[in-house]
Amino acid sequence: MTKPETIFPARRQALYDMHRYSAAIRSGDLLFISGQVGAREDGSPEPDFGKQVELAFDNLQAVLEAAGGTFEDIIDVTTFHTDPEQQFGAVLAVKDKIFAQAPYPNWTAVGVNWLAGFDFEIKVIARLPRT
């Protein structure tokens, strides 16, 4: 049995320490990334929604890179939105830049009423190349 490995990006450790969770867990060739939000390096939310979404994807990219992966390795996405109807256009604008062509990952969007002060969160599963 493969022992799970914790993955942390080089920055934003304050958020993980504050809430006591891992940025990602690698088990075999699968990488399970915890929900990434538009948090600044000190863990506080970015107030501008569009920038918050961009920062969440930037933070996701940092975790992927810390594990040796890229956006192309993502196979499943779950996003959480505090106001999906009003926010989805801004989310799609960022999503379409990152996932510009097929094959696209699976995607589930969920409306929620609380994200610890944030308005958007993205959680993914990636399959990483064997090293």
Side-chain angles (χ1 to χ4, degrees):
M1 183 170 168
T2 305
K3 182 177 179 179
E5 170 191 1
T6 56
I7 305 290
F8 292 97
R11 61 192 199 330
R12 294 182 47 250
Q13 192 65 36
L15 184 65
Y16 303 115
D17 289 344
M18 182 180 358
H19 297 286
R20 298 187 345 218
Y21 69 100
S22 298
I25 300 288
R26 183 176 188 155
S27 181
D29 62 350
L30 292 177
L31 182 68
F32 300 88
I33 299 180
S34 294
Q36 297 297 302
V37 294
R40 300 174 188 159
E41 288 191 28
D42 67 357
S44 67
E46 166 58 52
D48 177 88
F49 181 73
K51 290 178 183 175
Q52 190 178 125
V53 172
E54 290 174 3
L55 189 52
F57 275 91
D58 289 348
N59 292 335
L60 173 59
Q61 183 176 13
V63 177
L64 284 164
E65 288 175 355
T70 69
F71 286 120
E72 292 178 356
D73 298 313
I74 293 173
I75 56 176
D76 187 70
V77 176
T78 304
T79 53
F80 303 92
H81 312 258
T82 58
D83 188 354
E85 190 172 352
Q86 297 299 312
Q87 299 166 340
F88 218 65
V91 174
L92 288 177
V94 177
K95 173 193 173 280
D96 289 346
K97 283 190 257 182
I98 292 170
F99 302 107
Q101 60 187 3
Y104 305 108
N106 294 342
W107 199 293
T108 302
V110 181
V112 298
N113 61 13
W114 184 80
L115 288 172
F118 297 90
D119 294 305
F120 174 79
E121 183 171 329
I122 182 168
K123 175 184 183 350
V124 306
I125 299 170
R127 183 175 302 281
L128 300 179
R130 297 206 183 263
T131 53

